[in-house]
């Protein structure tokens, strides 16, 4: 009885819209006024202590294990939890899950490979043909073509650098290589990509050889901290600093500064919380081991301390929300195949991850920011106005 009282109290305050809840004893209740479009079904009783200790971990695991079922839109349900005052997802325990974690080179390699080396075939099922696994860039005329939006994002990043043909570019965390190879083919830059993922390294290496680009492009299976004393005219890094760990953010930006030539330009793109840094226990355990989303002020402090200067900031929150929604649509079109290959628990986990992240961007709990940085006075070697960034 006491446990159900806790559930009633929690759930009645967690959403700004009506929700039907069916409990483990088969009895149903509706919280909120109106006809609910979402139902939460507790097939089993989740211990109160697990929820109060860390709600995201307890409820995420319960969904993976089918102890909880959700009928209706998961993204909308989680968005509602973020929106509601007093929601358990806004509790101090949720925001301040900041355990100490190792980010040695060996641990970083293990963390990256646990996510990105699931297999290229898996990512090909639901990413666009460019295999770009980061926020796309949609314009008013394009809300649904993901490939077009990913190509637009890559060009948007490279245009911001105001690149000059024949100069050099380092792409830290190069993924499957689309950005670095576009920089070489379209902009005439000599590019170096670096990754810790063996699957990505092999994929990019093959593309370089297949396209006879050895004179313009190289990829390294190496920790970005071990690139020696070489310097580049430009640096790009997309979706990378979220993986380095809170304790290594300062070194990350110091290394960006170290690898840039004098008056060089960097475009750093990554998930950032405007409200301050945070981790999510469930995502850290099952999706991104070692992940940490920095606060905006935290990143700016590290940038200034590194000697770099900020030339421009651009927030792309709505773009990442739409990217994730399309990814999840693509994922669910292939759901039967993914479940056959990877199992039901894995499939439920990834579907929940994609929808939860979309909800987090939708609510403004997290953002994605492009930081345009210069090694030297802001705006050095760049046009006087921002109009050059959009063509």
């Amino acid at each position: 009885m006491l446990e159900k009282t806790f559930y009633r109290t929690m759930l009645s305050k967690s959403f700004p819209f009506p929700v039907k809840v069916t409990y483990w004893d088969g009895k149903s209740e509706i919280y909120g006024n109106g006809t609910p479009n979402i139902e939460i079904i507790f097939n089993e009783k989740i211990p109160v202590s697990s929820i109060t200790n860390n709600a995201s971990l307890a409820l995420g695991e319960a969904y993976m294990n089918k102890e909880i079922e959700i009928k209706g839109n998961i993204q909308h349900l989680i968005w509602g939890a973020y929106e509601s005052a007093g929601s358990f997802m806004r509790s101090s325990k949720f925001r301040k899950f900041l355990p100490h974690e190792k980010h040695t080179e060996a641990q970083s390699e293990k963390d990256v490979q646990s996510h990105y080396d699931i297999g290229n075939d898996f990512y090909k099922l639901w990413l666009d043909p460019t295999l770009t696994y980061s926020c796309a860039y949609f314009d008013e005329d394009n809300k649904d073509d993901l490939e077009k939006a990913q190509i637009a994002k890559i060009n948007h990043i490279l245009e911001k650098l105001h690149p000059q043909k024949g100069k050099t570019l380092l792409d830290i965390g190069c993924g499957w290589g689309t950005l670095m190879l576009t920089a070489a083919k379209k902009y005439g830059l000599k590019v170096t990509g670096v990754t810790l993922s063996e699957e990505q390294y092999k994929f990019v290496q093959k593309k370089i050889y297949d396209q006879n680009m050895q004179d313009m492009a190289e990829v390294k299976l190496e920790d970005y901290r071990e690139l020696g004393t070489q310097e580049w005219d430009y640096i790009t890094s997309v979706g990378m600093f979220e993986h380095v760990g809170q304790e290594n953010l300062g070194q990350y930006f110091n290394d960006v500064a170290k690898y840039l030539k004098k008056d060089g330009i960097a475009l750093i793109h990554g998930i950032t919380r405007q409200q301050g840094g945070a981790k999510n226990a469930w995502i850290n355990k099952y999706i991104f081991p070692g992940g940490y989303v920095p606060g905006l002020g935290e990143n700016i402090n590290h940038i200034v301390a590194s000697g770099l200067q900020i030339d421009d900031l651009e927030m792309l929150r709505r773009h990442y929300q739409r990217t994730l929604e399309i990814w999840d649509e693509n994922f669910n079109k292939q759901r039967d195949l993914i479940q056959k290959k990877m199992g039901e628990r894995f499939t439920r986990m990834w579907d929940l991850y994609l929808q939860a992240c979309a909800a987090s961007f939708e609510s403004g709990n997290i953002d994605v920011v492009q930081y345009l940085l210069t090694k030297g006075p802001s705006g050095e070697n760049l046009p006087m106005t921002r109009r050059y960034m959009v063509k």
Side-chain angles (χ1 to χ4, degrees), residues 134-138 153 156-157 160 267-270 274 313-323 361 366-371:
S134 57
C135 174
Y137 186 69
F138 298 88
K153 184 270 300 294
H156 189 51
I157 287 172
K160 283 187 175 185
L267 192 289
I268 310 299
H269 168 124
Q274 295 204 30
L313 297 178
E314 183 176 9
M315 308 328 189
L316 298 175
R317 177 187 64 82
R318 290 186 298 166
H319 296 266
Y320 217 157
Q321 176 192 337
R322 184 62 189 131
T323 303
F361 281 109
I366 53 177
D367 208 328
V368 63
V369 180
Q370 288 189 350
Y371 305 78

PDB file of all heavy atoms in Angstrom, residues 134-138 153 156-157 160 267-270 274 313-323 361 366-371:
ATOM      1  N   SER A 134      25.797  12.570 -35.945  1.00  0.00           N
ATOM      2  CA  SER A 134      25.772  13.785 -35.142  1.00  0.00           C
ATOM      3  C   SER A 134      24.643  14.654 -35.665  1.00  0.00           C
ATOM      4  O   SER A 134      23.984  14.326 -36.656  1.00  0.00           O
ATOM      5  CB  SER A 134      27.120  14.523 -35.210  1.00  0.00           C
ATOM      6  OG  SER A 134      27.464  14.822 -36.555  1.00  0.00           O
ATOM      7  N   CYS A 135      24.427  15.782 -35.022  1.00  0.00           N
ATOM      8  CA  CYS A 135      23.323  16.677 -35.340  1.00  0.00           C
ATOM      9  C   CYS A 135      23.372  17.151 -36.783  1.00  0.00           C
ATOM     10  O   CYS A 135      24.393  17.645 -37.251  1.00  0.00           O
ATOM     11  CB  CYS A 135      23.387  17.872 -34.394  1.00  0.00           C
ATOM     12  SG  CYS A 135      22.223  19.175 -34.739  1.00  0.00           S
ATOM     13  N   ALA A 136      22.268  17.014 -37.503  1.00  0.00           N
ATOM     14  CA  ALA A 136      22.163  17.532 -38.861  1.00  0.00           C
ATOM     15  C   ALA A 136      21.787  19.012 -38.830  1.00  0.00           C
ATOM     16  O   ALA A 136      21.604  19.599 -37.753  1.00  0.00           O
ATOM     17  CB  ALA A 136      21.135  16.733 -39.653  1.00  0.00           C
ATOM     18  N   TYR A 137      21.668  19.618 -40.007  1.00  0.00           N
ATOM     19  CA  TYR A 137      21.407  21.064 -40.111  1.00  0.00           C
ATOM     20  C   TYR A 137      20.293  21.263 -41.135  1.00  0.00           C
ATOM     21  O   TYR A 137      20.509  21.153 -42.335  1.00  0.00           O
ATOM     22  CB  TYR A 137      22.690  21.784 -40.528  1.00  0.00           C
ATOM     23  CG  TYR A 137      22.617  23.289 -40.539  1.00  0.00           C
ATOM     24  CD1 TYR A 137      22.513  24.005 -39.351  1.00  0.00           C
ATOM     25  CD2 TYR A 137      22.676  24.001 -41.735  1.00  0.00           C
ATOM     26  CE1 TYR A 137      22.475  25.387 -39.347  1.00  0.00           C
ATOM     27  CE2 TYR A 137      22.634  25.385 -41.750  1.00  0.00           C
ATOM     28  CZ  TYR A 137      22.531  26.066 -40.549  1.00  0.00           C
ATOM     29  OH  TYR A 137      22.496  27.445 -40.559  1.00  0.00           O
ATOM     30  N   PHE A 138      19.086  21.539 -40.617  1.00  0.00           N
ATOM     31  CA  PHE A 138      17.901  21.650 -41.464  1.00  0.00           C
ATOM     32  C   PHE A 138      17.606  23.119 -41.747  1.00  0.00           C
ATOM     33  O   PHE A 138      17.702  23.959 -40.856  1.00  0.00           O
ATOM     34  CB  PHE A 138      16.688  21.033 -40.761  1.00  0.00           C
ATOM     35  CG  PHE A 138      16.827  19.561 -40.482  1.00  0.00           C
ATOM     36  CD1 PHE A 138      17.416  19.111 -39.311  1.00  0.00           C
ATOM     37  CD2 PHE A 138      16.374  18.620 -41.388  1.00  0.00           C
ATOM     38  CE1 PHE A 138      17.550  17.752 -39.042  1.00  0.00           C
ATOM     39  CE2 PHE A 138      16.499  17.259 -41.135  1.00  0.00           C
ATOM     40  CZ  PHE A 138      17.088  16.826 -39.967  1.00  0.00           C
ATOM     41  N   LYS A 153      25.052  20.303 -42.862  1.00  0.00           N
ATOM     42  CA  LYS A 153      25.793  20.517 -41.610  1.00  0.00           C
ATOM     43  C   LYS A 153      27.304  20.518 -41.846  1.00  0.00           C
ATOM     44  O   LYS A 153      28.034  21.384 -41.342  1.00  0.00           O
ATOM     45  CB  LYS A 153      25.399  19.429 -40.602  1.00  0.00           C
ATOM     46  CG  LYS A 153      26.011  19.574 -39.198  1.00  0.00           C
ATOM     47  CD  LYS A 153      27.348  18.882 -39.024  1.00  0.00           C
ATOM     48  CE  LYS A 153      27.300  17.411 -39.257  1.00  0.00           C
ATOM     49  NZ  LYS A 153      26.502  16.660 -38.283  1.00  0.00           N
ATOM     50  N   HIS A 156      28.221  23.630 -43.598  1.00  0.00           N
ATOM     51  CA  HIS A 156      28.068  24.756 -42.668  1.00  0.00           C
ATOM     52  C   HIS A 156      29.301  24.870 -41.765  1.00  0.00           C
ATOM     53  O   HIS A 156      29.826  25.965 -41.538  1.00  0.00           O
ATOM     54  CB  HIS A 156      26.802  24.559 -41.843  1.00  0.00           C
ATOM     55  CG  HIS A 156      26.410  25.732 -41.007  1.00  0.00           C
ATOM     56  ND1 HIS A 156      26.287  27.003 -41.504  1.00  0.00           N
ATOM     57  CD2 HIS A 156      26.119  25.822 -39.672  1.00  0.00           C
ATOM     58  CE1 HIS A 156      25.915  27.833 -40.532  1.00  0.00           C
ATOM     59  NE2 HIS A 156      25.814  27.127 -39.413  1.00  0.00           N
ATOM     60  N   ILE A 157      29.762  23.728 -41.263  1.00  0.00           N
ATOM     61  CA  ILE A 157      30.961  23.715 -40.427  1.00  0.00           C
ATOM     62  C   ILE A 157      32.175  24.199 -41.210  1.00  0.00           C
ATOM     63  O   ILE A 157      32.943  25.055 -40.743  1.00  0.00           O
ATOM     64  CB  ILE A 157      31.199  22.298 -39.873  1.00  0.00           C
ATOM     65  CG1 ILE A 157      30.174  21.983 -38.771  1.00  0.00           C
ATOM     66  CG2 ILE A 157      32.624  22.132 -39.339  1.00  0.00           C
ATOM     67  CD1 ILE A 157      30.200  20.558 -38.289  1.00  0.00           C
ATOM     68  N   LYS A 160      32.236  27.907 -42.089  1.00  0.00           N
ATOM     69  CA  LYS A 160      32.566  28.764 -40.953  1.00  0.00           C
ATOM     70  C   LYS A 160      34.071  28.963 -40.796  1.00  0.00           C
ATOM     71  O   LYS A 160      34.527  29.988 -40.277  1.00  0.00           O
ATOM     72  CB  LYS A 160      31.993  28.174 -39.661  1.00  0.00           C
ATOM     73  CG  LYS A 160      30.501  28.389 -39.492  1.00  0.00           C
ATOM     74  CD  LYS A 160      30.045  27.930 -38.118  1.00  0.00           C
ATOM     75  CE  LYS A 160      28.580  28.240 -37.895  1.00  0.00           C
ATOM     76  NZ  LYS A 160      28.126  27.922 -36.526  1.00  0.00           N
ATOM     77  N   LEU A 267      36.505  24.761 -35.345  1.00  0.00           N
ATOM     78  CA  LEU A 267      35.057  24.665 -35.169  1.00  0.00           C
ATOM     79  C   LEU A 267      34.780  23.421 -34.328  1.00  0.00           C
ATOM     80  O   LEU A 267      34.995  22.295 -34.781  1.00  0.00           O
ATOM     81  CB  LEU A 267      34.335  24.589 -36.516  1.00  0.00           C
ATOM     82  CG  LEU A 267      32.798  24.756 -36.544  1.00  0.00           C
ATOM     83  CD1 LEU A 267      32.060  23.558 -35.941  1.00  0.00           C
ATOM     84  CD2 LEU A 267      32.370  26.031 -35.835  1.00  0.00           C
ATOM     85  N   ILE A 268      34.349  23.641 -33.090  1.00  0.00           N
ATOM     86  CA  ILE A 268      34.075  22.565 -32.147  1.00  0.00           C
ATOM     87  C   ILE A 268      32.564  22.480 -31.954  1.00  0.00           C
ATOM     88  O   ILE A 268      31.918  23.460 -31.581  1.00  0.00           O
ATOM     89  CB  ILE A 268      34.765  22.831 -30.790  1.00  0.00           C
ATOM     90  CG1 ILE A 268      36.255  23.172 -30.997  1.00  0.00           C
ATOM     91  CG2 ILE A 268      34.592  21.635 -29.866  1.00  0.00           C
ATOM     92  CD1 ILE A 268      37.065  22.093 -31.650  1.00  0.00           C
ATOM     93  N   HIS A 269      32.020  21.288 -32.204  1.00  0.00           N
ATOM     94  CA  HIS A 269      30.562  21.083 -32.226  1.00  0.00           C
ATOM     95  C   HIS A 269      30.240  19.982 -31.222  1.00  0.00           C
ATOM     96  O   HIS A 269      30.777  18.872 -31.327  1.00  0.00           O
ATOM     97  CB  HIS A 269      30.175  20.680 -33.658  1.00  0.00           C
ATOM     98  CG  HIS A 269      28.794  20.153 -33.854  1.00  0.00           C
ATOM     99  ND1 HIS A 269      27.917  20.711 -34.756  1.00  0.00           N
ATOM    100  CD2 HIS A 269      28.143  19.091 -33.312  1.00  0.00           C
ATOM    101  CE1 HIS A 269      26.782  20.019 -34.761  1.00  0.00           C
ATOM    102  NE2 HIS A 269      26.896  19.030 -33.892  1.00  0.00           N
ATOM    103  N   GLY A 270      29.381  20.270 -30.245  1.00  0.00           N
ATOM    104  CA  GLY A 270      29.070  19.217 -29.292  1.00  0.00           C
ATOM    105  C   GLY A 270      27.893  19.543 -28.397  1.00  0.00           C
ATOM    106  O   GLY A 270      27.448  20.688 -28.288  1.00  0.00           O
ATOM    107  N   GLN A 274      23.091  24.286 -21.123  1.00  0.00           N
ATOM    108  CA  GLN A 274      23.158  25.687 -20.730  1.00  0.00           C
ATOM    109  C   GLN A 274      23.008  25.839 -19.223  1.00  0.00           C
ATOM    110  O   GLN A 274      23.478  26.818 -18.641  1.00  0.00           O
ATOM    111  CB  GLN A 274      22.082  26.491 -21.473  1.00  0.00           C
ATOM    112  CG  GLN A 274      22.309  26.520 -22.979  1.00  0.00           C
ATOM    113  CD  GLN A 274      21.661  27.702 -23.655  1.00  0.00           C
ATOM    114  OE1 GLN A 274      21.515  28.761 -23.071  1.00  0.00           O
ATOM    115  NE2 GLN A 274      21.273  27.519 -24.916  1.00  0.00           N
ATOM    116  N   LEU A 313      29.221  31.659 -31.478  1.00  0.00           N
ATOM    117  CA  LEU A 313      28.510  30.523 -30.897  1.00  0.00           C
ATOM    118  C   LEU A 313      27.176  30.379 -31.622  1.00  0.00           C
ATOM    119  O   LEU A 313      26.499  31.372 -31.874  1.00  0.00           O
ATOM    120  CB  LEU A 313      28.234  30.732 -29.400  1.00  0.00           C
ATOM    121  CG  LEU A 313      29.419  30.857 -28.451  1.00  0.00           C
ATOM    122  CD1 LEU A 313      28.901  31.106 -27.030  1.00  0.00           C
ATOM    123  CD2 LEU A 313      30.271  29.605 -28.473  1.00  0.00           C
ATOM    124  N   GLU A 314      26.801  29.138 -31.943  1.00  0.00           N
ATOM    125  CA  GLU A 314      25.504  28.894 -32.565  1.00  0.00           C
ATOM    126  C   GLU A 314      24.843  27.700 -31.900  1.00  0.00           C
ATOM    127  O   GLU A 314      25.454  26.639 -31.758  1.00  0.00           O
ATOM    128  CB  GLU A 314      25.644  28.633 -34.069  1.00  0.00           C
ATOM    129  CG  GLU A 314      24.291  28.437 -34.757  1.00  0.00           C
ATOM    130  CD  GLU A 314      24.387  28.262 -36.265  1.00  0.00           C
ATOM    131  OE1 GLU A 314      25.520  28.118 -36.783  1.00  0.00           O
ATOM    132  OE2 GLU A 314      23.339  28.266 -36.930  1.00  0.00           O
ATOM    133  N   MET A 315      23.599  27.883 -31.460  1.00  0.00           N
ATOM    134  CA  MET A 315      22.846  26.823 -30.808  1.00  0.00           C
ATOM    135  C   MET A 315      21.985  26.087 -31.843  1.00  0.00           C
ATOM    136  O   MET A 315      21.292  26.713 -32.637  1.00  0.00           O
ATOM    137  CB  MET A 315      21.937  27.398 -29.719  1.00  0.00           C
ATOM    138  CG  MET A 315      22.606  28.307 -28.704  1.00  0.00           C
ATOM    139  SD  MET A 315      24.307  27.968 -28.287  1.00  0.00           S
ATOM    140  CE  MET A 315      24.535  29.072 -26.916  1.00  0.00           C
ATOM    141  N   LEU A 316      22.044  24.755 -31.816  1.00  0.00           N
ATOM    142  CA  LEU A 316      21.340  23.941 -32.815  1.00  0.00           C
ATOM    143  C   LEU A 316      20.401  22.922 -32.170  1.00  0.00           C
ATOM    144  O   LEU A 316      20.182  21.834 -32.685  1.00  0.00           O
ATOM    145  CB  LEU A 316      22.353  23.213 -33.706  1.00  0.00           C
ATOM    146  CG  LEU A 316      23.288  24.103 -34.526  1.00  0.00           C
ATOM    147  CD1 LEU A 316      24.314  23.250 -35.263  1.00  0.00           C
ATOM    148  CD2 LEU A 316      22.508  24.955 -35.514  1.00  0.00           C
ATOM    149  N   ARG A 317      19.818  23.306 -31.023  1.00  0.00           N
ATOM    150  CA  ARG A 317      18.984  22.371 -30.256  1.00  0.00           C
ATOM    151  C   ARG A 317      17.874  21.753 -31.103  1.00  0.00           C
ATOM    152  O   ARG A 317      17.691  20.529 -31.113  1.00  0.00           O
ATOM    153  CB  ARG A 317      18.377  23.112 -29.055  1.00  0.00           C
ATOM    154  CG  ARG A 317      17.420  22.256 -28.229  1.00  0.00           C
ATOM    155  CD  ARG A 317      16.728  23.093 -27.158  1.00  0.00           C
ATOM    156  NE  ARG A 317      15.878  24.123 -27.744  1.00  0.00           N
ATOM    157  CZ  ARG A 317      14.642  23.903 -28.190  1.00  0.00           C
ATOM    158  NH1 ARG A 317      14.117  22.675 -28.129  1.00  0.00           N
ATOM    159  NH2 ARG A 317      13.921  24.878 -28.694  1.00  0.00           N
ATOM    160  N   ARG A 318      17.111  22.576 -31.800  1.00  0.00           N
ATOM    161  CA  ARG A 318      15.978  22.042 -32.572  1.00  0.00           C
ATOM    162  C   ARG A 318      16.438  21.143 -33.710  1.00  0.00           C
ATOM    163  O   ARG A 318      15.735  20.207 -34.096  1.00  0.00           O
ATOM    164  CB  ARG A 318      15.135  23.194 -33.119  1.00  0.00           C
ATOM    165  CG  ARG A 318      14.374  23.950 -32.040  1.00  0.00           C
ATOM    166  CD  ARG A 318      13.447  24.985 -32.640  1.00  0.00           C
ATOM    167  NE  ARG A 318      14.189  25.999 -33.381  1.00  0.00           N
ATOM    168  CZ  ARG A 318      13.619  26.850 -34.219  1.00  0.00           C
ATOM    169  NH1 ARG A 318      12.321  26.791 -34.464  1.00  0.00           N
ATOM    170  NH2 ARG A 318      14.340  27.763 -34.831  1.00  0.00           N
ATOM    171  N   HIS A 319      17.627  21.413 -34.240  1.00  0.00           N
ATOM    172  CA  HIS A 319      18.167  20.572 -35.316  1.00  0.00           C
ATOM    173  C   HIS A 319      18.469  19.164 -34.801  1.00  0.00           C
ATOM    174  O   HIS A 319      18.242  18.172 -35.508  1.00  0.00           O
ATOM    175  CB  HIS A 319      19.433  21.207 -35.882  1.00  0.00           C
ATOM    176  CG  HIS A 319      19.200  22.536 -36.536  1.00  0.00           C
ATOM    177  ND1 HIS A 319      18.972  22.675 -37.890  1.00  0.00           N
ATOM    178  CD2 HIS A 319      19.147  23.792 -36.018  1.00  0.00           C
ATOM    179  CE1 HIS A 319      18.802  23.953 -38.180  1.00  0.00           C
ATOM    180  NE2 HIS A 319      18.895  24.650 -37.061  1.00  0.00           N
ATOM    181  N   TYR A 320      19.006  19.072 -33.564  1.00  0.00           N
ATOM    182  CA  TYR A 320      19.322  17.736 -33.041  1.00  0.00           C
ATOM    183  C   TYR A 320      18.047  16.995 -32.655  1.00  0.00           C
ATOM    184  O   TYR A 320      17.952  15.766 -32.800  1.00  0.00           O
ATOM    185  CB  TYR A 320      20.274  17.805 -31.849  1.00  0.00           C
ATOM    186  CG  TYR A 320      21.273  16.668 -31.846  1.00  0.00           C
ATOM    187  CD1 TYR A 320      22.486  16.771 -31.166  1.00  0.00           C
ATOM    188  CD2 TYR A 320      21.026  15.466 -32.520  1.00  0.00           C
ATOM    189  CE1 TYR A 320      23.408  15.743 -31.171  1.00  0.00           C
ATOM    190  CE2 TYR A 320      21.942  14.430 -32.524  1.00  0.00           C
ATOM    191  CZ  TYR A 320      23.123  14.573 -31.842  1.00  0.00           C
ATOM    192  OH  TYR A 320      24.042  13.545 -31.841  1.00  0.00           O
ATOM    193  N   GLN A 321      17.048  17.717 -32.148  1.00  0.00           N
ATOM    194  CA  GLN A 321      15.777  17.061 -31.872  1.00  0.00           C
ATOM    195  C   GLN A 321      15.232  16.402 -33.143  1.00  0.00           C
ATOM    196  O   GLN A 321      14.835  15.224 -33.120  1.00  0.00           O
ATOM    197  CB  GLN A 321      14.753  18.079 -31.353  1.00  0.00           C
ATOM    198  CG  GLN A 321      13.371  17.475 -31.128  1.00  0.00           C
ATOM    199  CD  GLN A 321      12.308  18.526 -30.899  1.00  0.00           C
ATOM    200  OE1 GLN A 321      12.588  19.655 -30.493  1.00  0.00           O
ATOM    201  NE2 GLN A 321      11.057  18.171 -31.171  1.00  0.00           N
ATOM    202  N   ARG A 322      15.220  17.134 -34.242  1.00  0.00           N
ATOM    203  CA  ARG A 322      14.686  16.580 -35.494  1.00  0.00           C
ATOM    204  C   ARG A 322      15.557  15.442 -36.002  1.00  0.00           C
ATOM    205  O   ARG A 322      15.038  14.428 -36.503  1.00  0.00           O
ATOM    206  CB  ARG A 322      14.583  17.685 -36.563  1.00  0.00           C
ATOM    207  CG  ARG A 322      13.941  17.205 -37.860  1.00  0.00           C
ATOM    208  CD  ARG A 322      12.520  16.750 -37.638  1.00  0.00           C
ATOM    209  NE  ARG A 322      11.953  16.081 -38.821  1.00  0.00           N
ATOM    210  CZ  ARG A 322      11.330  14.909 -38.777  1.00  0.00           C
ATOM    211  NH1 ARG A 322      11.162  14.257 -37.643  1.00  0.00           N
ATOM    212  NH2 ARG A 322      10.843  14.373 -39.882  1.00  0.00           N
ATOM    213  N   THR A 323      16.881  15.575 -35.867  1.00  0.00           N
ATOM    214  CA  THR A 323      17.783  14.491 -36.288  1.00  0.00           C
ATOM    215  C   THR A 323      17.441  13.203 -35.567  1.00  0.00           C
ATOM    216  O   THR A 323      17.314  12.133 -36.179  1.00  0.00           O
ATOM    217  CB  THR A 323      19.240  14.880 -36.004  1.00  0.00           C
ATOM    218  OG1 THR A 323      19.558  16.108 -36.668  1.00  0.00           O
ATOM    219  CG2 THR A 323      20.196  13.792 -36.465  1.00  0.00           C
ATOM    220  N   PHE A 361      16.384  17.190 -25.848  1.00  0.00           N
ATOM    221  CA  PHE A 361      16.600  18.380 -26.672  1.00  0.00           C
ATOM    222  C   PHE A 361      15.317  19.198 -26.795  1.00  0.00           C
ATOM    223  O   PHE A 361      15.341  20.427 -26.722  1.00  0.00           O
ATOM    224  CB  PHE A 361      17.115  17.982 -28.061  1.00  0.00           C
ATOM    225  CG  PHE A 361      18.572  17.655 -28.093  1.00  0.00           C
ATOM    226  CD1 PHE A 361      18.996  16.346 -28.270  1.00  0.00           C
ATOM    227  CD2 PHE A 361      19.532  18.645 -27.949  1.00  0.00           C
ATOM    228  CE1 PHE A 361      20.352  16.036 -28.290  1.00  0.00           C
ATOM    229  CE2 PHE A 361      20.887  18.351 -27.972  1.00  0.00           C
ATOM    230  CZ  PHE A 361      21.296  17.041 -28.147  1.00  0.00           C
ATOM    231  N   ILE A 366      19.064  19.742 -22.712  1.00  0.00           N
ATOM    232  CA  ILE A 366      20.387  19.785 -23.330  1.00  0.00           C
ATOM    233  C   ILE A 366      20.292  20.562 -24.633  1.00  0.00           C
ATOM    234  O   ILE A 366      19.215  20.735 -25.192  1.00  0.00           O
ATOM    235  CB  ILE A 366      20.982  18.374 -23.572  1.00  0.00           C
ATOM    236  CG1 ILE A 366      20.002  17.488 -24.349  1.00  0.00           C
ATOM    237  CG2 ILE A 366      21.421  17.737 -22.272  1.00  0.00           C
ATOM    238  CD1 ILE A 366      20.556  16.103 -24.674  1.00  0.00           C
ATOM    239  N   ASP A 367      21.440  21.030 -25.100  1.00  0.00           N
ATOM    240  CA  ASP A 367      21.536  21.805 -26.331  1.00  0.00           C
ATOM    241  C   ASP A 367      22.731  21.268 -27.103  1.00  0.00           C
ATOM    242  O   ASP A 367      23.485  20.423 -26.599  1.00  0.00           O
ATOM    243  CB  ASP A 367      21.738  23.287 -25.998  1.00  0.00           C
ATOM    244  CG  ASP A 367      21.189  24.221 -27.066  1.00  0.00           C
ATOM    245  OD1 ASP A 367      21.211  23.838 -28.255  1.00  0.00           O
ATOM    246  OD2 ASP A 367      20.760  25.337 -26.712  1.00  0.00           O
ATOM    247  N   VAL A 368      22.901  21.744 -28.314  1.00  0.00           N
ATOM    248  CA  VAL A 368      24.123  21.439 -29.056  1.00  0.00           C
ATOM    249  C   VAL A 368      24.653  22.768 -29.578  1.00  0.00           C
ATOM    250  O   VAL A 368      23.893  23.597 -30.069  1.00  0.00           O
ATOM    251  CB  VAL A 368      23.891  20.409 -30.185  1.00  0.00           C
ATOM    252  CG1 VAL A 368      22.940  20.920 -31.230  1.00  0.00           C
ATOM    253  CG2 VAL A 368      25.201  19.978 -30.820  1.00  0.00           C
ATOM    254  N   VAL A 369      25.956  22.969 -29.402  1.00  0.00           N
ATOM    255  CA  VAL A 369      26.561  24.271 -29.667  1.00  0.00           C
ATOM    256  C   VAL A 369      27.733  24.112 -30.626  1.00  0.00           C
ATOM    257  O   VAL A 369      28.528  23.178 -30.492  1.00  0.00           O
ATOM    258  CB  VAL A 369      27.044  24.928 -28.354  1.00  0.00           C
ATOM    259  CG1 VAL A 369      27.667  26.298 -28.632  1.00  0.00           C
ATOM    260  CG2 VAL A 369      25.902  25.056 -27.358  1.00  0.00           C
ATOM    261  N   GLN A 370      27.827  25.034 -31.585  1.00  0.00           N
ATOM    262  CA  GLN A 370      29.015  25.145 -32.421  1.00  0.00           C
ATOM    263  C   GLN A 370      29.834  26.330 -31.929  1.00  0.00           C
ATOM    264  O   GLN A 370      29.355  27.467 -31.900  1.00  0.00           O
ATOM    265  CB  GLN A 370      28.643  25.327 -33.889  1.00  0.00           C
ATOM    266  CG  GLN A 370      28.077  24.068 -34.526  1.00  0.00           C
ATOM    267  CD  GLN A 370      27.904  24.177 -36.028  1.00  0.00           C
ATOM    268  OE1 GLN A 370      28.022  25.248 -36.618  1.00  0.00           O
ATOM    269  NE2 GLN A 370      27.623  23.056 -36.676  1.00  0.00           N
ATOM    270  N   TYR A 371      31.080  26.034 -31.521  1.00  0.00           N
ATOM    271  CA  TYR A 371      32.006  27.047 -31.026  1.00  0.00           C
ATOM    272  C   TYR A 371      33.023  27.332 -32.134  1.00  0.00           C
ATOM    273  O   TYR A 371      33.797  26.445 -32.505  1.00  0.00           O
ATOM    274  CB  TYR A 371      32.768  26.549 -29.796  1.00  0.00           C
ATOM    275  CG  TYR A 371      31.925  26.059 -28.639  1.00  0.00           C
ATOM    276  CD1 TYR A 371      31.329  24.794 -28.651  1.00  0.00           C
ATOM    277  CD2 TYR A 371      31.743  26.846 -27.501  1.00  0.00           C
ATOM    278  CE1 TYR A 371      30.577  24.340 -27.584  1.00  0.00           C
ATOM    279  CE2 TYR A 371      31.001  26.396 -26.421  1.00  0.00           C
ATOM    280  CZ  TYR A 371      30.413  25.142 -26.470  1.00  0.00           C
ATOM    281  OH  TYR A 371      29.676  24.690 -25.399  1.00  0.00           O
TER     282      TYR A 371
END
